[in-house]
Amino acid sequence: MPRRLLALVSALGLASVLFTPTAEAAPTEPVVLKVMTMNIFYGGDEWNLDTGQWCVDPAGCPETMDHVVSAIRAADPDILGFQEGTANECVIADRLGWFCEPRLQLISRFPLLDPPGANGVYALAEVATGKFVAVSNVHLPSDPYGPYWVRDGVPREDVLELERSTRLPAIQEQLGVLPGLADAGMPVFLTGDFNSPSHLDWTPAVDAVREEVRYPVRWPVSAALAGAGFRDSYREIHPDPVAVSGFTWTPPNDLLASPSSRP
């Protein structure tokens, strides 16, 4: 479940939002934002981290939710996009004293607005009086999973066709709407569990040193987002994918590997 933060902020800093003043207005100081993405796995209370087993309480495991809240406090973001919030995003926001936009599974220190015409593609966060950024959050289809096909020896063109037919369609609304907001001067952030690697991680140089990268892949979702003007925040900070791979995955566990074993 690769997760990335992408920013489409025209020529602005990666997470520093500068609002352009009108001719009459005084210069505006930049607002520095910390934006986070987090998959909390079945609402953050279905897996008991203390026992390493599924939660047997139908009401969920509050002790695991405590871990989620603690992790957010430790990371100290300003805006967070959840994946697998499972209706708990506003519960977590309440515990933090934050605002919540459940349709997009967003929580924020700043007020969140679901503006007319956004149609669930994005919300607005009011980061200063009368000043907004747009935030979108996605969770693309997880199965079939492209890197597993690579692992199993499927040819690259078949993997690319899988991505073009399975995950690329799921990001079309964002590709169609968000660049226009940026063109109009609105800073835009896209968080998500894309269930697809970044093409910036599967380069020929990485292929030469990592066994699991059998061949370079220009993964269609990340390539399309880059073509639309989005910048991969991880690669902005760590531009060398050989030196800092950024490869992540769920910790190994028999139950996690076998969803059918869930009670």
Side-chain angles (χ1 to χ4, degrees):
M1 53 186 77
R3 296 178 286 278
R4 283 296 235 263
L5 167 64
L6 299 155
L8 201 169
V9 290
S10 300
L12 308 179
L14 185 63
S16 178
V17 181
L18 175 63
F19 298 101
T20 304
T22 63
E24 298 80 15
T28 305
E29 291 295 319
V31 177
V32 178
L33 299 177
K34 290 178 69 176
V35 183
M36 178 178 174
T37 186
M38 188 179 191
N39 186 316
I40 60 174
F41 191 71
Y42 287 102
D45 61 357
E46 289 295 311
W47 183 258
N48 190 328
L49 293 177
D50 295 329
T51 66
Q53 301 292 328
W54 287 101
C55 179
V56 296
D57 186 344
C61 293
E63 61 271 28
T64 300
M65 184 72 76
D66 291 342
H67 288 292
V68 173
V69 174
S70 294
I72 296 169
R73 286 182 172 140
D76 195 33
D78 298 305
I79 300 171
L80 190 153
F82 282 120
Q83 295 84 46
E84 299 193 40
T86 319
N88 277 341
E89 53 274 352
C90 291
V91 174
I92 295 170
D94 287 344
R95 290 190 56 175
L96 294 167
W98 288 15
F99 299 92
C100 176
E101 206 302 297
R103 181 152 71 155
L104 279 162
Q105 299 189 58
L106 292 172
I107 66 173
S108 170
R109 298 179 188 273
F110 304 107
L112 290 169
L113 305 175
D114 185 355
N119 300 321
V121 177
Y122 66 92
L124 298 178
E126 188 175 19
V127 299
T129 303
K131 307 297 183 182
F132 299 86
V133 300
V135 187
S136 186
N137 182 48
V138 298
H139 194 173
L140 304 190
S142 61
D143 195 51
Y145 186 56
Y148 285 171
W149 280 28
V150 176
R151 177 199 64 191
D152 296 339
V154 175
R156 174 167 44 198
E157 189 50 48
D158 291 343
V159 173
L160 289 172
E161 179 55 33
L162 168 69
E163 297 299 311
R164 287 191 289 260
S165 63
T166 302
R167 274 165 281 278
L168 191 57
I171 202 76
Q172 290 307 303
E173 284 189 313
Q174 288 72 25
L175 288 170
V177 172
L178 300 180
L181 297 177
D183 289 344
M186 174 76 70
V188 179
F189 296 90
L190 172 62
T191 60
D193 186 338
F194 296 93
N195 278 303
S196 178
S198 171
H199 66 291
L200 301 176
D201 298 345
W202 285 59
T203 65
V206 174
D207 172 42
V209 298
R210 294 192 69 96
E211 181 180 357
E212 63 270 34
V213 177
R214 291 174 176 261
Y215 40 73
V217 182
R218 186 167 174 81
W219 295 95
V221 167
S222 64
L225 290 168
F230 280 94
R231 287 180 283 169
D232 184 322
S233 299
Y234 192 84
R235 284 289 162 239
E236 290 287 318
I237 298 169
H238 304 290
D240 186 345
V242 174
V244 184
S245 68
F247 282 23
T248 61
W249 192 243
T250 302
N253 185 283
D254 289 343
L255 284 175
L256 287 174
S258 304
S260 61
S261 63
R262 183 170 181 262

PDB file of all heavy atoms in Angstrom, residues 134-158:
ATOM      1  N   ALA A 134      -6.508  23.833  -1.195  1.00  0.00           N
ATOM      2  CA  ALA A 134      -7.350  22.700  -1.568  1.00  0.00           C
ATOM      3  C   ALA A 134      -6.632  21.407  -1.199  1.00  0.00           C
ATOM      4  O   ALA A 134      -5.418  21.281  -1.403  1.00  0.00           O
ATOM      5  CB  ALA A 134      -7.659  22.728  -3.059  1.00  0.00           C
ATOM      6  N   VAL A 135      -7.391  20.461  -0.656  1.00  0.00           N
ATOM      7  CA  VAL A 135      -6.826  19.174  -0.260  1.00  0.00           C
ATOM      8  C   VAL A 135      -7.714  18.068  -0.817  1.00  0.00           C
ATOM      9  O   VAL A 135      -8.941  18.089  -0.634  1.00  0.00           O
ATOM     10  CB  VAL A 135      -6.718  19.030   1.268  1.00  0.00           C
ATOM     11  CG1 VAL A 135      -5.958  17.752   1.619  1.00  0.00           C
ATOM     12  CG2 VAL A 135      -6.039  20.236   1.890  1.00  0.00           C
ATOM     13  N   SER A 136      -7.106  17.113  -1.493  1.00  0.00           N
ATOM     14  CA  SER A 136      -7.812  15.940  -1.990  1.00  0.00           C
ATOM     15  C   SER A 136      -7.177  14.697  -1.371  1.00  0.00           C
ATOM     16  O   SER A 136      -6.005  14.712  -0.996  1.00  0.00           O
ATOM     17  CB  SER A 136      -7.719  15.873  -3.515  1.00  0.00           C
ATOM     18  OG  SER A 136      -8.500  14.819  -4.041  1.00  0.00           O
ATOM     19  N   ASN A 137      -7.952  13.641  -1.247  1.00  0.00           N
ATOM     20  CA  ASN A 137      -7.474  12.420  -0.608  1.00  0.00           C
ATOM     21  C   ASN A 137      -8.080  11.227  -1.329  1.00  0.00           C
ATOM     22  O   ASN A 137      -9.288  11.207  -1.588  1.00  0.00           O
ATOM     23  CB  ASN A 137      -7.873  12.405   0.868  1.00  0.00           C
ATOM     24  CG  ASN A 137      -7.360  11.190   1.603  1.00  0.00           C
ATOM     25  OD1 ASN A 137      -6.197  10.836   1.506  1.00  0.00           O
ATOM     26  ND2 ASN A 137      -8.235  10.537   2.357  1.00  0.00           N
ATOM     27  N   VAL A 138      -7.255  10.236  -1.662  1.00  0.00           N
ATOM     28  CA  VAL A 138      -7.735   9.105  -2.454  1.00  0.00           C
ATOM     29  C   VAL A 138      -7.251   7.791  -1.853  1.00  0.00           C
ATOM     30  O   VAL A 138      -6.279   7.752  -1.097  1.00  0.00           O
ATOM     31  CB  VAL A 138      -7.265   9.196  -3.923  1.00  0.00           C
ATOM     32  CG1 VAL A 138      -7.822  10.434  -4.595  1.00  0.00           C
ATOM     33  CG2 VAL A 138      -5.745   9.171  -4.022  1.00  0.00           C
ATOM     34  N   HIS A 139      -7.929   6.729  -2.211  1.00  0.00           N
ATOM     35  CA  HIS A 139      -7.485   5.363  -1.918  1.00  0.00           C
ATOM     36  C   HIS A 139      -7.815   4.538  -3.150  1.00  0.00           C
ATOM     37  O   HIS A 139      -8.973   4.156  -3.367  1.00  0.00           O
ATOM     38  CB  HIS A 139      -8.176   4.811  -0.675  1.00  0.00           C
ATOM     39  CG  HIS A 139      -7.542   3.566  -0.138  1.00  0.00           C
ATOM     40  ND1 HIS A 139      -7.923   2.980   1.049  1.00  0.00           N
ATOM     41  CD2 HIS A 139      -6.550   2.790  -0.625  1.00  0.00           C
ATOM     42  CE1 HIS A 139      -7.183   1.910   1.277  1.00  0.00           C
ATOM     43  NE2 HIS A 139      -6.352   1.773   0.262  1.00  0.00           N
ATOM     44  N   LEU A 140      -6.808   4.277  -3.971  1.00  0.00           N
ATOM     45  CA  LEU A 140      -7.027   3.606  -5.242  1.00  0.00           C
ATOM     46  C   LEU A 140      -7.154   2.095  -5.048  1.00  0.00           C
ATOM     47  O   LEU A 140      -6.754   1.552  -4.017  1.00  0.00           O
ATOM     48  CB  LEU A 140      -5.879   3.919  -6.196  1.00  0.00           C
ATOM     49  CG  LEU A 140      -5.608   5.408  -6.463  1.00  0.00           C
ATOM     50  CD1 LEU A 140      -4.625   5.566  -7.610  1.00  0.00           C
ATOM     51  CD2 LEU A 140      -6.883   6.181  -6.735  1.00  0.00           C
ATOM     52  N   PRO A 141      -7.726   1.390  -6.041  1.00  0.00           N
ATOM     53  CA  PRO A 141      -7.924  -0.063  -5.921  1.00  0.00           C
ATOM     54  C   PRO A 141      -6.625  -0.795  -5.592  1.00  0.00           C
ATOM     55  O   PRO A 141      -5.558  -0.470  -6.128  1.00  0.00           O
ATOM     56  CB  PRO A 141      -8.454  -0.462  -7.302  1.00  0.00           C
ATOM     57  CG  PRO A 141      -9.090   0.783  -7.838  1.00  0.00           C
ATOM     58  CD  PRO A 141      -8.265   1.911  -7.315  1.00  0.00           C
ATOM     59  N   SER A 142      -6.740  -1.799  -4.745  1.00  0.00           N
ATOM     60  CA  SER A 142      -5.542  -2.491  -4.253  1.00  0.00           C
ATOM     61  C   SER A 142      -5.222  -3.780  -5.000  1.00  0.00           C
ATOM     62  O   SER A 142      -4.099  -4.293  -4.883  1.00  0.00           O
ATOM     63  CB  SER A 142      -5.708  -2.814  -2.767  1.00  0.00           C
ATOM     64  OG  SER A 142      -6.821  -3.667  -2.555  1.00  0.00           O
ATOM     65  N   ASP A 143      -6.161  -4.292  -5.761  1.00  0.00           N
ATOM     66  CA  ASP A 143      -5.982  -5.641  -6.292  1.00  0.00           C
ATOM     67  C   ASP A 143      -6.523  -5.713  -7.722  1.00  0.00           C
ATOM     68  O   ASP A 143      -7.579  -5.136  -8.000  1.00  0.00           O
ATOM     69  CB  ASP A 143      -6.740  -6.621  -5.390  1.00  0.00           C
ATOM     70  CG  ASP A 143      -6.360  -8.065  -5.615  1.00  0.00           C
ATOM     71  OD1 ASP A 143      -5.153  -8.351  -5.595  1.00  0.00           O
ATOM     72  OD2 ASP A 143      -7.263  -8.882  -5.833  1.00  0.00           O
ATOM     73  N   PRO A 144      -5.789  -6.356  -8.622  1.00  0.00           N
ATOM     74  CA  PRO A 144      -4.477  -7.009  -8.498  1.00  0.00           C
ATOM     75  C   PRO A 144      -3.382  -5.969  -8.305  1.00  0.00           C
ATOM     76  O   PRO A 144      -3.474  -4.860  -8.827  1.00  0.00           O
ATOM     77  CB  PRO A 144      -4.307  -7.756  -9.821  1.00  0.00           C
ATOM     78  CG  PRO A 144      -5.673  -7.804 -10.441  1.00  0.00           C
ATOM     79  CD  PRO A 144      -6.354  -6.555  -9.980  1.00  0.00           C
ATOM     80  N   TYR A 145      -2.337  -6.357  -7.603  1.00  0.00           N
ATOM     81  CA  TYR A 145      -1.292  -5.429  -7.207  1.00  0.00           C
ATOM     82  C   TYR A 145      -0.091  -5.537  -8.146  1.00  0.00           C
ATOM     83  O   TYR A 145       0.515  -6.608  -8.288  1.00  0.00           O
ATOM     84  CB  TYR A 145      -0.873  -5.723  -5.766  1.00  0.00           C
ATOM     85  CG  TYR A 145       0.100  -4.736  -5.184  1.00  0.00           C
ATOM     86  CD1 TYR A 145      -0.199  -3.369  -5.142  1.00  0.00           C
ATOM     87  CD2 TYR A 145       1.317  -5.157  -4.676  1.00  0.00           C
ATOM     88  CE1 TYR A 145       0.686  -2.458  -4.606  1.00  0.00           C
ATOM     89  CE2 TYR A 145       2.208  -4.248  -4.126  1.00  0.00           C
ATOM     90  CZ  TYR A 145       1.888  -2.904  -4.099  1.00  0.00           C
ATOM     91  OH  TYR A 145       2.774  -2.000  -3.575  1.00  0.00           O
ATOM     92  N   GLY A 146       0.241  -4.428  -8.802  1.00  0.00           N
ATOM     93  CA  GLY A 146       1.262  -4.423  -9.831  1.00  0.00           C
ATOM     94  C   GLY A 146       2.625  -4.966  -9.413  1.00  0.00           C
ATOM     95  O   GLY A 146       3.212  -5.792 -10.127  1.00  0.00           O
ATOM     96  N   PRO A 147       3.185  -4.523  -8.273  1.00  0.00           N
ATOM     97  CA  PRO A 147       4.494  -5.055  -7.879  1.00  0.00           C
ATOM     98  C   PRO A 147       4.509  -6.563  -7.650  1.00  0.00           C
ATOM     99  O   PRO A 147       5.552  -7.205  -7.820  1.00  0.00           O
ATOM    100  CB  PRO A 147       4.808  -4.288  -6.595  1.00  0.00           C
ATOM    101  CG  PRO A 147       4.102  -2.989  -6.778  1.00  0.00           C
ATOM    102  CD  PRO A 147       2.816  -3.347  -7.467  1.00  0.00           C
ATOM    103  N   TYR A 148       3.370  -7.146  -7.262  1.00  0.00           N
ATOM    104  CA  TYR A 148       3.325  -8.609  -7.156  1.00  0.00           C
ATOM    105  C   TYR A 148       3.458  -9.249  -8.527  1.00  0.00           C
ATOM    106  O   TYR A 148       4.067 -10.309  -8.675  1.00  0.00           O
ATOM    107  CB  TYR A 148       2.017  -9.050  -6.499  1.00  0.00           C
ATOM    108  CG  TYR A 148       1.936  -8.824  -5.014  1.00  0.00           C
ATOM    109  CD1 TYR A 148       0.727  -9.011  -4.344  1.00  0.00           C
ATOM    110  CD2 TYR A 148       3.036  -8.430  -4.262  1.00  0.00           C
ATOM    111  CE1 TYR A 148       0.623  -8.816  -2.979  1.00  0.00           C
ATOM    112  CE2 TYR A 148       2.943  -8.222  -2.900  1.00  0.00           C
ATOM    113  CZ  TYR A 148       1.732  -8.419  -2.254  1.00  0.00           C
ATOM    114  OH  TYR A 148       1.630  -8.213  -0.905  1.00  0.00           O
ATOM    115  N   TRP A 149       2.841  -8.618  -9.533  1.00  0.00           N
ATOM    116  CA  TRP A 149       2.987  -9.134 -10.896  1.00  0.00           C
ATOM    117  C   TRP A 149       4.448  -9.061 -11.329  1.00  0.00           C
ATOM    118  O   TRP A 149       4.964  -9.986 -11.969  1.00  0.00           O
ATOM    119  CB  TRP A 149       2.095  -8.345 -11.855  1.00  0.00           C
ATOM    120  CG  TRP A 149       0.656  -8.763 -11.826  1.00  0.00           C
ATOM    121  CD1 TRP A 149      -0.018  -9.311 -10.769  1.00  0.00           C
ATOM    122  CD2 TRP A 149      -0.278  -8.672 -12.907  1.00  0.00           C
ATOM    123  NE1 TRP A 149      -1.330  -9.551 -11.111  1.00  0.00           N
ATOM    124  CE2 TRP A 149      -1.509  -9.165 -12.423  1.00  0.00           C
ATOM    125  CE3 TRP A 149      -0.202  -8.200 -14.210  1.00  0.00           C
ATOM    126  CZ2 TRP A 149      -2.651  -9.212 -13.218  1.00  0.00           C
ATOM    127  CZ3 TRP A 149      -1.339  -8.239 -15.011  1.00  0.00           C
ATOM    128  CH2 TRP A 149      -2.542  -8.753 -14.524  1.00  0.00           C
ATOM    129  N   VAL A 150       5.119  -7.957 -10.995  1.00  0.00           N
ATOM    130  CA  VAL A 150       6.545  -7.852 -11.308  1.00  0.00           C
ATOM    131  C   VAL A 150       7.314  -8.967 -10.604  1.00  0.00           C
ATOM    132  O   VAL A 150       8.137  -9.661 -11.204  1.00  0.00           O
ATOM    133  CB  VAL A 150       7.090  -6.473 -10.891  1.00  0.00           C
ATOM    134  CG1 VAL A 150       8.604  -6.410 -11.123  1.00  0.00           C
ATOM    135  CG2 VAL A 150       6.390  -5.357 -11.662  1.00  0.00           C
ATOM    136  N   ARG A 151       7.045  -9.145  -9.328  1.00  0.00           N
ATOM    137  CA  ARG A 151       7.701 -10.192  -8.535  1.00  0.00           C
ATOM    138  C   ARG A 151       7.511 -11.561  -9.165  1.00  0.00           C
ATOM    139  O   ARG A 151       8.433 -12.396  -9.172  1.00  0.00           O
ATOM    140  CB  ARG A 151       7.114 -10.184  -7.119  1.00  0.00           C
ATOM    141  CG  ARG A 151       7.636 -11.267  -6.187  1.00  0.00           C
ATOM    142  CD  ARG A 151       6.692 -11.461  -5.005  1.00  0.00           C
ATOM    143  NE  ARG A 151       5.375 -11.943  -5.439  1.00  0.00           N
ATOM    144  CZ  ARG A 151       4.309 -12.000  -4.642  1.00  0.00           C
ATOM    145  NH1 ARG A 151       4.385 -11.586  -3.390  1.00  0.00           N
ATOM    146  NH2 ARG A 151       3.154 -12.458  -5.111  1.00  0.00           N
ATOM    147  N   ASP A 152       6.317 -11.799  -9.717  1.00  0.00           N
ATOM    148  CA  ASP A 152       5.988 -13.116 -10.259  1.00  0.00           C
ATOM    149  C   ASP A 152       6.414 -13.286 -11.713  1.00  0.00           C
ATOM    150  O   ASP A 152       6.078 -14.289 -12.346  1.00  0.00           O
ATOM    151  CB  ASP A 152       4.487 -13.368 -10.126  1.00  0.00           C
ATOM    152  CG  ASP A 152       4.036 -13.431  -8.663  1.00  0.00           C
ATOM    153  OD1 ASP A 152       4.894 -13.672  -7.793  1.00  0.00           O
ATOM    154  OD2 ASP A 152       2.835 -13.223  -8.399  1.00  0.00           O
ATOM    155  N   GLY A 153       7.130 -12.321 -12.260  1.00  0.00           N
ATOM    156  CA  GLY A 153       7.685 -12.467 -13.599  1.00  0.00           C
ATOM    157  C   GLY A 153       6.775 -12.069 -14.733  1.00  0.00           C
ATOM    158  O   GLY A 153       7.045 -12.409 -15.890  1.00  0.00           O
ATOM    159  N   VAL A 154       5.693 -11.335 -14.454  1.00  0.00           N
ATOM    160  CA  VAL A 154       4.798 -10.884 -15.520  1.00  0.00           C
ATOM    161  C   VAL A 154       5.520  -9.820 -16.358  1.00  0.00           C
ATOM    162  O   VAL A 154       6.202  -8.950 -15.803  1.00  0.00           O
ATOM    163  CB  VAL A 154       3.500 -10.314 -14.918  1.00  0.00           C
ATOM    164  CG1 VAL A 154       2.597  -9.729 -15.993  1.00  0.00           C
ATOM    165  CG2 VAL A 154       2.767 -11.398 -14.131  1.00  0.00           C
ATOM    166  N   PRO A 155       5.408  -9.860 -17.668  1.00  0.00           N
ATOM    167  CA  PRO A 155       6.090  -8.863 -18.510  1.00  0.00           C
ATOM    168  C   PRO A 155       5.646  -7.438 -18.200  1.00  0.00           C
ATOM    169  O   PRO A 155       4.508  -7.194 -17.797  1.00  0.00           O
ATOM    170  CB  PRO A 155       5.678  -9.269 -19.937  1.00  0.00           C
ATOM    171  CG  PRO A 155       5.356 -10.727 -19.836  1.00  0.00           C
ATOM    172  CD  PRO A 155       4.755 -10.907 -18.474  1.00  0.00           C
ATOM    173  N   ARG A 156       6.551  -6.507 -18.399  1.00  0.00           N
ATOM    174  CA  ARG A 156       6.294  -5.109 -18.058  1.00  0.00           C
ATOM    175  C   ARG A 156       5.059  -4.551 -18.769  1.00  0.00           C
ATOM    176  O   ARG A 156       4.263  -3.838 -18.148  1.00  0.00           O
ATOM    177  CB  ARG A 156       7.520  -4.259 -18.401  1.00  0.00           C
ATOM    178  CG  ARG A 156       7.294  -2.758 -18.207  1.00  0.00           C
ATOM    179  CD  ARG A 156       8.585  -1.965 -18.248  1.00  0.00           C
ATOM    180  NE  ARG A 156       9.448  -2.402 -19.324  1.00  0.00           N
ATOM    181  CZ  ARG A 156      10.752  -2.144 -19.394  1.00  0.00           C
ATOM    182  NH1 ARG A 156      11.331  -1.455 -18.430  1.00  0.00           N
ATOM    183  NH2 ARG A 156      11.481  -2.576 -20.411  1.00  0.00           N
ATOM    184  N   GLU A 157       4.877  -4.854 -20.044  1.00  0.00           N
ATOM    185  CA  GLU A 157       3.734  -4.288 -20.755  1.00  0.00           C
ATOM    186  C   GLU A 157       2.419  -4.758 -20.148  1.00  0.00           C
ATOM    187  O   GLU A 157       1.434  -4.000 -20.099  1.00  0.00           O
ATOM    188  CB  GLU A 157       3.789  -4.642 -22.238  1.00  0.00           C
ATOM    189  CG  GLU A 157       2.751  -3.901 -23.080  1.00  0.00           C
ATOM    190  CD  GLU A 157       2.729  -2.398 -22.833  1.00  0.00           C
ATOM    191  OE1 GLU A 157       3.800  -1.770 -22.835  1.00  0.00           O
ATOM    192  OE2 GLU A 157       1.615  -1.860 -22.621  1.00  0.00           O
ATOM    193  N   ASP A 158       2.359  -5.998 -19.665  1.00  0.00           N
ATOM    194  CA  ASP A 158       1.145  -6.481 -19.009  1.00  0.00           C
ATOM    195  C   ASP A 158       0.919  -5.761 -17.681  1.00  0.00           C
ATOM    196  O   ASP A 158      -0.232  -5.459 -17.310  1.00  0.00           O
ATOM    197  CB  ASP A 158       1.246  -7.987 -18.761  1.00  0.00           C
ATOM    198  CG  ASP A 158       1.206  -8.801 -20.044  1.00  0.00           C
ATOM    199  OD1 ASP A 158       0.786  -8.240 -21.086  1.00  0.00           O
ATOM    200  OD2 ASP A 158       1.595  -9.981 -20.020  1.00  0.00           O
TER     201      ASP A 158
END
